[in-house]
Amino acid sequence: MPDLSPTRGLRLGVCGPVGTGKSSLIALLCRELAGRMSLAVVTNDIYTDEDARFLRASGVLAPERIRAVETGACPHTAIRDDITANLLTVEELEEEFAPDLVLIESGGDNLTATFSPALVDTQVFVLDIAGGGDVARKGGPGIERADLLVINKTDLAPHVGVDRDRMVADAEAARDGRTVIPLSRTDLDSVAALTAWVTAEVVRHRAGDLVPTDPGPMAAHTHGHTHDHDHDHPAA
Amino acid sequence: MDHVPSDLLLMLLADARLPVAGHTQSAGLEGAVQHGLTGADVPLYISARLATTVRVEAGTAVVALHHLTHALPLEPVVAAWAARTPSHALRRASRMQGRALSRLTTRLWPDEEPVRRVSGLDGCPRAVALAGAAAAAGLEAVALARLVGYDDVQTVASASLKLLPLDPAETTAWVHGALPAVAGAAAALAGLTDPRDIPATAAPQTEVWAQAHAHSTRRLFSA
Ligand SMILES: Nc1nc2c(ncn2[C@@H]2O[C@H](COP(=O)(O)OP(=O)(O)OP(=O)(O)O)[C@@H](O)[C@H]2O)c(=O)[nH]1
Ligand SMILES: [Mg+2]
């Protein structure tokens, strides 16, 4: 049973392809938020605890608040279908530290991997601008429907021949108005935008206004097919 | 609930799709491969486990089932299991799996006393949690012991597909080939009721590999 208790903290998932900057983003959030709220981190890795060790070494959080979950080379399974190992670890951290925010990093996977809403309340999909300007347009559940899309390492844009503003505009179009944050650790305004978004999610969760939603794997809901579930349609 | 035939419940519990984080386990195979075990050795590794570790696990499960169905305390069963599982890494992995299983059985059988007893047990090992499920499902001791053996063999076989990839029909043939040994071990252990009679057949080499594995930094599996 998902723990729906409003007293537990927000569970925030961070996913996206390999090397796009998930661990760095989590380290950044820990650095920015640790003074303001109680935090814990769960990492999922292909090679178990690489990410946990990176985060512990970065010194942004007490080492016992960072735990690694083994995925048996199934990073996708561990965050989406059999989320048990992750849930047990999150629950363990919640029991020990009662954190306001638990950050869960997925093992770097392909474009289709997103978190189950039974594991996280809200999720961030991270893309690397150096992965090419076309990626945002290609779409996929994470890009199109994660609660937040981060286009990371914007400082690299001029070096890799990507038009940052164009890529952000493409992403915004693919996302139907959902939030996109272009991020670079060297751009303090972008860092502030990210922390503001996360803080707002924590507040929304506390107020009971955050309903976890699944970004995938199906295509976006469109009208015009037969419904087998109830919807309130405005009278024509 | 209407009566459910026990073979259906056994299928449910033996299914790799059961959400108990089975994909994180290799039944020690990864530690063994890190120390030089090859694909050709895996069938032998399976038989070795059936003669050693699996007997501890299945014996523990069977005795726990007896204690659950006869209102006897579980603590001596857990203590007997721990004494026969010297590796801290293996005890830890088993307790993690026990929690995963309890989490599920509490959802499936919330009103069953054995499930409640098991989930109230601090650091419940997997074999005891499985006994709780068996008690709730009305499984016989021999079926429970077969389940423990079968699951161990399948865990090795499926982890070998990740670690030493080969034709999956081949690994399934290993499983099939091991079934008589699974049945034999289960038949030998099904009558146990006393924690003192649980076989003390831990395999020192497996335990050493498991300890080393738990401290290796680049691993796919939890144990
Ligand atoms: N230029 C630049 N590099 C960055 C930025 N953020 C992260 N990186 C670099 O990107 C590389 C990958 O970062 P990680 O945070 O390890 O990426 P990850 O997504 O966690 O990687 P995996 O867990 O292996 O999938 C590292 O070398 C980081 O230093 C950024 O804002 N700008
Ligand atoms: Mg990482």
PDB file of all heavy atoms in Angstrom, chain A residues 16-25 45 51 54 105-108 152-156 183-186, ligand 1:
ATOM      1  N   GLY A  16      16.437  10.430 -16.051  1.00  0.00           N
ATOM      2  CA  GLY A  16      16.984  10.958 -17.301  1.00  0.00           C
ATOM      3  C   GLY A  16      18.152  10.097 -17.731  1.00  0.00           C
ATOM      4  O   GLY A  16      18.656   9.295 -16.952  1.00  0.00           O
ATOM      5  N   PRO A  17      18.569  10.265 -19.004  1.00  0.00           N
ATOM      6  CA  PRO A  17      19.643   9.418 -19.543  1.00  0.00           C
ATOM      7  C   PRO A  17      20.961   9.539 -18.765  1.00  0.00           C
ATOM      8  O   PRO A  17      21.138  10.447 -17.959  1.00  0.00           O
ATOM      9  CB  PRO A  17      19.799   9.931 -20.976  1.00  0.00           C
ATOM     10  CG  PRO A  17      18.488  10.562 -21.306  1.00  0.00           C
ATOM     11  CD  PRO A  17      17.982  11.140 -20.019  1.00  0.00           C
ATOM     12  N   VAL A  18      21.861   8.618 -19.050  1.00  0.00           N
ATOM     13  CA  VAL A  18      23.168   8.559 -18.377  1.00  0.00           C
ATOM     14  C   VAL A  18      23.952   9.858 -18.568  1.00  0.00           C
ATOM     15  O   VAL A  18      24.028  10.379 -19.676  1.00  0.00           O
ATOM     16  CB  VAL A  18      23.997   7.390 -18.945  1.00  0.00           C
ATOM     17  CG1 VAL A  18      25.370   7.333 -18.287  1.00  0.00           C
ATOM     18  CG2 VAL A  18      23.276   6.079 -18.753  1.00  0.00           C
ATOM     19  N   GLY A  19      24.481  10.358 -17.476  1.00  0.00           N
ATOM     20  CA  GLY A  19      25.429  11.466 -17.548  1.00  0.00           C
ATOM     21  C   GLY A  19      24.824  12.836 -17.793  1.00  0.00           C
ATOM     22  O   GLY A  19      25.541  13.801 -18.096  1.00  0.00           O
ATOM     23  N   THR A  20      23.511  12.972 -17.682  1.00  0.00           N
ATOM     24  CA  THR A  20      22.895  14.266 -17.966  1.00  0.00           C
ATOM     25  C   THR A  20      23.036  15.231 -16.791  1.00  0.00           C
ATOM     26  O   THR A  20      22.751  16.419 -16.924  1.00  0.00           O
ATOM     27  CB  THR A  20      21.400  14.111 -18.324  1.00  0.00           C
ATOM     28  OG1 THR A  20      20.749  13.383 -17.280  1.00  0.00           O
ATOM     29  CG2 THR A  20      21.225  13.363 -19.635  1.00  0.00           C
ATOM     30  N   GLY A  21      23.441  14.695 -15.624  1.00  0.00           N
ATOM     31  CA  GLY A  21      23.675  15.586 -14.479  1.00  0.00           C
ATOM     32  C   GLY A  21      22.717  15.370 -13.319  1.00  0.00           C
ATOM     33  O   GLY A  21      22.469  16.293 -12.534  1.00  0.00           O
ATOM     34  N   LYS A  22      22.172  14.169 -13.178  1.00  0.00           N
ATOM     35  CA  LYS A  22      21.216  13.878 -12.090  1.00  0.00           C
ATOM     36  C   LYS A  22      21.880  13.985 -10.716  1.00  0.00           C
ATOM     37  O   LYS A  22      21.360  14.649  -9.820  1.00  0.00           O
ATOM     38  CB  LYS A  22      20.619  12.472 -12.270  1.00  0.00           C
ATOM     39  CG  LYS A  22      19.858  12.303 -13.573  1.00  0.00           C
ATOM     40  CD  LYS A  22      19.317  10.898 -13.741  1.00  0.00           C
ATOM     41  CE  LYS A  22      20.389   9.845 -13.988  1.00  0.00           C
ATOM     42  NZ  LYS A  22      21.170  10.026 -15.235  1.00  0.00           N
ATOM     43  N   SER A  23      23.034  13.334 -10.574  1.00  0.00           N
ATOM     44  CA  SER A  23      23.722  13.379  -9.277  1.00  0.00           C
ATOM     45  C   SER A  23      24.149  14.809  -8.956  1.00  0.00           C
ATOM     46  O   SER A  23      24.016  15.262  -7.811  1.00  0.00           O
ATOM     47  CB  SER A  23      24.959  12.483  -9.285  1.00  0.00           C
ATOM     48  OG  SER A  23      24.595  11.148  -9.527  1.00  0.00           O
ATOM     49  N   SER A  24      24.632  15.512  -9.962  1.00  0.00           N
ATOM     50  CA  SER A  24      25.056  16.895  -9.749  1.00  0.00           C
ATOM     51  C   SER A  24      23.880  17.763  -9.316  1.00  0.00           C
ATOM     52  O   SER A  24      24.006  18.606  -8.427  1.00  0.00           O
ATOM     53  CB  SER A  24      25.657  17.479 -11.026  1.00  0.00           C
ATOM     54  OG  SER A  24      26.693  16.653 -11.510  1.00  0.00           O
ATOM     55  N   LEU A  25      22.720  17.525  -9.938  1.00  0.00           N
ATOM     56  CA  LEU A  25      21.529  18.298  -9.588  1.00  0.00           C
ATOM     57  C   LEU A  25      21.110  18.013  -8.143  1.00  0.00           C
ATOM     58  O   LEU A  25      20.737  18.929  -7.395  1.00  0.00           O
ATOM     59  CB  LEU A  25      20.409  17.954 -10.582  1.00  0.00           C
ATOM     60  CG  LEU A  25      19.080  18.672 -10.441  1.00  0.00           C
ATOM     61  CD1 LEU A  25      18.494  18.960 -11.805  1.00  0.00           C
ATOM     62  CD2 LEU A  25      18.084  17.867  -9.638  1.00  0.00           C
ATOM     63  N   ASP A  45      21.738   2.696  -9.054  1.00  0.00           N
ATOM     64  CA  ASP A  45      22.810   2.806 -10.016  1.00  0.00           C
ATOM     65  C   ASP A  45      22.969   1.523 -10.773  1.00  0.00           C
ATOM     66  O   ASP A  45      22.547   0.461 -10.337  1.00  0.00           O
ATOM     67  CB  ASP A  45      24.108   3.177  -9.314  1.00  0.00           C
ATOM     68  CG  ASP A  45      24.925   4.131 -10.164  1.00  0.00           C
ATOM     69  OD1 ASP A  45      24.755   4.133 -11.390  1.00  0.00           O
ATOM     70  OD2 ASP A  45      25.711   4.874  -9.588  1.00  0.00           O
ATOM     71  N   ASP A  51      26.937   6.521  -7.457  1.00  0.00           N
ATOM     72  CA  ASP A  51      26.313   7.821  -7.231  1.00  0.00           C
ATOM     73  C   ASP A  51      26.295   8.163  -5.747  1.00  0.00           C
ATOM     74  O   ASP A  51      26.540   9.300  -5.362  1.00  0.00           O
ATOM     75  CB  ASP A  51      24.876   7.820  -7.765  1.00  0.00           C
ATOM     76  CG  ASP A  51      24.852   7.918  -9.283  1.00  0.00           C
ATOM     77  OD1 ASP A  51      25.810   8.454  -9.856  1.00  0.00           O
ATOM     78  OD2 ASP A  51      23.869   7.459  -9.881  1.00  0.00           O
ATOM     79  N   PHE A  54      29.663   9.313  -4.857  1.00  0.00           N
ATOM     80  CA  PHE A  54      29.892  10.680  -5.367  1.00  0.00           C
ATOM     81  C   PHE A  54      29.239  11.703  -4.438  1.00  0.00           C
ATOM     82  O   PHE A  54      29.833  12.707  -4.069  1.00  0.00           O
ATOM     83  CB  PHE A  54      29.321  10.799  -6.789  1.00  0.00           C
ATOM     84  CG  PHE A  54      29.142  12.219  -7.271  1.00  0.00           C
ATOM     85  CD1 PHE A  54      30.236  12.944  -7.758  1.00  0.00           C
ATOM     86  CD2 PHE A  54      27.896  12.838  -7.223  1.00  0.00           C
ATOM     87  CE1 PHE A  54      30.065  14.260  -8.193  1.00  0.00           C
ATOM     88  CE2 PHE A  54      27.724  14.145  -7.669  1.00  0.00           C
ATOM     89  CZ  PHE A  54      28.812  14.852  -8.143  1.00  0.00           C
ATOM     90  N   GLU A 105      17.384   9.255  -7.014  1.00  0.00           N
ATOM     91  CA  GLU A 105      17.997   9.296  -8.346  1.00  0.00           C
ATOM     92  C   GLU A 105      17.829   7.952  -9.021  1.00  0.00           C
ATOM     93  O   GLU A 105      18.196   6.914  -8.472  1.00  0.00           O
ATOM     94  CB  GLU A 105      19.500   9.632  -8.249  1.00  0.00           C
ATOM     95  CG  GLU A 105      20.170   9.578  -9.636  1.00  0.00           C
ATOM     96  CD  GLU A 105      21.651   9.943  -9.638  1.00  0.00           C
ATOM     97  OE1 GLU A 105      22.158  10.387  -8.598  1.00  0.00           O
ATOM     98  OE2 GLU A 105      22.283   9.773 -10.703  1.00  0.00           O
ATOM     99  N   SER A 106      17.309   7.951 -10.231  1.00  0.00           N
ATOM    100  CA  SER A 106      17.192   6.704 -10.984  1.00  0.00           C
ATOM    101  C   SER A 106      18.556   6.366 -11.565  1.00  0.00           C
ATOM    102  O   SER A 106      19.404   7.243 -11.726  1.00  0.00           O
ATOM    103  CB  SER A 106      16.185   6.861 -12.117  1.00  0.00           C
ATOM    104  OG  SER A 106      16.766   7.595 -13.170  1.00  0.00           O
ATOM    105  N   GLY A 107      18.772   5.091 -11.871  1.00  0.00           N
ATOM    106  CA  GLY A 107      19.978   4.735 -12.611  1.00  0.00           C
ATOM    107  C   GLY A 107      19.834   5.359 -13.984  1.00  0.00           C
ATOM    108  O   GLY A 107      18.741   5.356 -14.552  1.00  0.00           O
ATOM    109  N   GLY A 108      20.915   5.893 -14.540  1.00  0.00           N
ATOM    110  CA  GLY A 108      20.817   6.526 -15.848  1.00  0.00           C
ATOM    111  C   GLY A 108      20.251   5.522 -16.841  1.00  0.00           C
ATOM    112  O   GLY A 108      20.756   4.423 -16.965  1.00  0.00           O
ATOM    113  N   ASN A 152      19.891  20.690 -18.897  1.00  0.00           N
ATOM    114  CA  ASN A 152      21.049  20.943 -18.047  1.00  0.00           C
ATOM    115  C   ASN A 152      22.298  21.309 -18.861  1.00  0.00           C
ATOM    116  O   ASN A 152      22.378  21.023 -20.052  1.00  0.00           O
ATOM    117  CB  ASN A 152      21.318  19.687 -17.203  1.00  0.00           C
ATOM    118  CG  ASN A 152      22.195  19.986 -16.006  1.00  0.00           C
ATOM    119  OD1 ASN A 152      22.317  21.138 -15.569  1.00  0.00           O
ATOM    120  ND2 ASN A 152      22.822  18.965 -15.468  1.00  0.00           N
ATOM    121  N   LYS A 153      23.244  21.892 -18.165  1.00  0.00           N
ATOM    122  CA  LYS A 153      24.570  22.252 -18.693  1.00  0.00           C
ATOM    123  C   LYS A 153      24.445  23.290 -19.819  1.00  0.00           C
ATOM    124  O   LYS A 153      25.133  23.190 -20.844  1.00  0.00           O
ATOM    125  CB  LYS A 153      25.333  21.012 -19.199  1.00  0.00           C
ATOM    126  CG  LYS A 153      25.304  19.799 -18.268  1.00  0.00           C
ATOM    127  CD  LYS A 153      26.194  18.681 -18.769  1.00  0.00           C
ATOM    128  CE  LYS A 153      25.874  17.363 -18.085  1.00  0.00           C
ATOM    129  NZ  LYS A 153      26.683  16.239 -18.590  1.00  0.00           N
ATOM    130  N   THR A 154      23.587  24.265 -19.614  1.00  0.00           N
ATOM    131  CA  THR A 154      23.385  25.265 -20.668  1.00  0.00           C
ATOM    132  C   THR A 154      24.664  26.039 -20.952  1.00  0.00           C
ATOM    133  O   THR A 154      24.814  26.615 -22.028  1.00  0.00           O
ATOM    134  CB  THR A 154      22.262  26.250 -20.283  1.00  0.00           C
ATOM    135  OG1 THR A 154      22.553  26.767 -18.986  1.00  0.00           O
ATOM    136  CG2 THR A 154      20.912  25.571 -20.267  1.00  0.00           C
ATOM    137  N   ASP A 155      25.597  26.030 -19.970  1.00  0.00           N
ATOM    138  CA  ASP A 155      26.888  26.710 -20.218  1.00  0.00           C
ATOM    139  C   ASP A 155      27.633  26.098 -21.392  1.00  0.00           C
ATOM    140  O   ASP A 155      28.487  26.732 -22.009  1.00  0.00           O
ATOM    141  CB  ASP A 155      27.737  26.658 -18.933  1.00  0.00           C
ATOM    142  CG  ASP A 155      27.935  25.245 -18.395  1.00  0.00           C
ATOM    143  OD1 ASP A 155      26.950  24.652 -17.903  1.00  0.00           O
ATOM    144  OD2 ASP A 155      29.037  24.726 -18.486  1.00  0.00           O
ATOM    145  N   LEU A 156      27.296  24.842 -21.718  1.00  0.00           N
ATOM    146  CA  LEU A 156      27.994  24.173 -22.826  1.00  0.00           C
ATOM    147  C   LEU A 156      27.401  24.499 -24.197  1.00  0.00           C
ATOM    148  O   LEU A 156      28.018  24.178 -25.222  1.00  0.00           O
ATOM    149  CB  LEU A 156      27.965  22.649 -22.625  1.00  0.00           C
ATOM    150  CG  LEU A 156      28.673  22.095 -21.385  1.00  0.00           C
ATOM    151  CD1 LEU A 156      28.532  20.569 -21.349  1.00  0.00           C
ATOM    152  CD2 LEU A 156      30.145  22.490 -21.392  1.00  0.00           C
ATOM    153  N   LEU A 183      19.153  24.895 -17.042  1.00  0.00           N
ATOM    154  CA  LEU A 183      19.982  24.949 -15.832  1.00  0.00           C
ATOM    155  C   LEU A 183      21.454  24.860 -16.155  1.00  0.00           C
ATOM    156  O   LEU A 183      21.872  24.115 -17.053  1.00  0.00           O
ATOM    157  CB  LEU A 183      19.594  23.784 -14.912  1.00  0.00           C
ATOM    158  CG  LEU A 183      20.358  23.614 -13.601  1.00  0.00           C
ATOM    159  CD1 LEU A 183      19.928  24.690 -12.590  1.00  0.00           C
ATOM    160  CD2 LEU A 183      20.116  22.230 -12.995  1.00  0.00           C
ATOM    161  N   SER A 184      22.224  25.625 -15.419  1.00  0.00           N
ATOM    162  CA  SER A 184      23.672  25.407 -15.390  1.00  0.00           C
ATOM    163  C   SER A 184      24.130  25.728 -13.980  1.00  0.00           C
ATOM    164  O   SER A 184      23.660  26.686 -13.378  1.00  0.00           O
ATOM    165  CB  SER A 184      24.389  26.322 -16.380  1.00  0.00           C
ATOM    166  OG  SER A 184      25.772  26.341 -16.060  1.00  0.00           O
ATOM    167  N   ARG A 185      25.062  24.924 -13.496  1.00  0.00           N
ATOM    168  CA  ARG A 185      25.509  25.195 -12.128  1.00  0.00           C
ATOM    169  C   ARG A 185      26.261  26.507 -12.039  1.00  0.00           C
ATOM    170  O   ARG A 185      26.439  27.045 -10.963  1.00  0.00           O
ATOM    171  CB  ARG A 185      26.360  24.030 -11.634  1.00  0.00           C
ATOM    172  CG  ARG A 185      27.586  23.787 -12.474  1.00  0.00           C
ATOM    173  CD  ARG A 185      28.296  22.524 -12.024  1.00  0.00           C
ATOM    174  NE  ARG A 185      29.352  22.179 -12.964  1.00  0.00           N
ATOM    175  CZ  ARG A 185      29.847  20.961 -13.123  1.00  0.00           C
ATOM    176  NH1 ARG A 185      29.389  19.970 -12.421  1.00  0.00           N
ATOM    177  NH2 ARG A 185      30.814  20.740 -13.982  1.00  0.00           N
ATOM    178  N   THR A 186      26.656  27.031 -13.190  1.00  0.00           N
ATOM    179  CA  THR A 186      27.372  28.302 -13.167  1.00  0.00           C
ATOM    180  C   THR A 186      26.424  29.498 -13.325  1.00  0.00           C
ATOM    181  O   THR A 186      26.857  30.637 -13.250  1.00  0.00           O
ATOM    182  CB  THR A 186      28.403  28.355 -14.311  1.00  0.00           C
ATOM    183  OG1 THR A 186      27.697  28.154 -15.546  1.00  0.00           O
ATOM    184  CG2 THR A 186      29.456  27.258 -14.163  1.00  0.00           C
TER     185      THR A 186
HETATM  186  N1  LIG C   1      29.371  21.975 -17.900  1.00  0.00           N
HETATM  187  C1  LIG C   1      28.564  21.452 -17.000  1.00  0.00           C
HETATM  188  N2  LIG C   1      28.761  20.182 -16.613  1.00  0.00           N
HETATM  189  C2  LIG C   1      27.920  19.655 -15.712  1.00  0.00           C
HETATM  190  C3  LIG C   1      26.826  20.385 -15.148  1.00  0.00           C
HETATM  191  N3  LIG C   1      26.163  19.570 -14.281  1.00  0.00           N
HETATM  192  C4  LIG C   1      26.806  18.386 -14.312  1.00  0.00           C
HETATM  193  N4  LIG C   1      27.862  18.420 -15.157  1.00  0.00           N
HETATM  194  C5  LIG C   1      28.841  17.359 -15.446  1.00  0.00           C
HETATM  195  O1  LIG C   1      28.207  16.283 -16.121  1.00  0.00           O
HETATM  196  C6  LIG C   1      28.819  15.035 -15.822  1.00  0.00           C
HETATM  197  C7  LIG C   1      27.778  14.022 -15.401  1.00  0.00           C
HETATM  198  O2  LIG C   1      27.165  14.476 -14.215  1.00  0.00           O
HETATM  199  P1  LIG C   1      26.431  13.508 -13.183  1.00  0.00           P
HETATM  200  O3  LIG C   1      25.789  14.395 -12.187  1.00  0.00           O
HETATM  201  O4  LIG C   1      27.372  12.475 -12.708  1.00  0.00           O
HETATM  202  O5  LIG C   1      25.369  12.847 -14.163  1.00  0.00           O
HETATM  203  P2  LIG C   1      24.309  11.683 -13.834  1.00  0.00           P
HETATM  204  O6  LIG C   1      23.102  11.970 -14.638  1.00  0.00           O
HETATM  205  O7  LIG C   1      24.129  11.556 -12.367  1.00  0.00           O
HETATM  206  O8  LIG C   1      25.083  10.433 -14.388  1.00  0.00           O
HETATM  207  P3  LIG C   1      24.687   8.886 -14.209  1.00  0.00           P
HETATM  208  O9  LIG C   1      24.262   8.719 -12.773  1.00  0.00           O
HETATM  209  O10 LIG C   1      25.945   8.168 -14.531  1.00  0.00           O
HETATM  210  O11 LIG C   1      23.590   8.610 -15.183  1.00  0.00           O
HETATM  211  C8  LIG C   1      29.838  15.351 -14.735  1.00  0.00           C
HETATM  212  O12 LIG C   1      31.098  15.433 -15.281  1.00  0.00           O
HETATM  213  C9  LIG C   1      29.382  16.683 -14.193  1.00  0.00           C
HETATM  214  O13 LIG C   1      30.422  17.443 -13.625  1.00  0.00           O
HETATM  215  C10 LIG C   1      26.650  21.752 -15.581  1.00  0.00           C
HETATM  216  O14 LIG C   1      25.758  22.479 -15.167  1.00  0.00           O
HETATM  217  N5  LIG C   1      27.535  22.201 -16.522  1.00  0.00           N
END
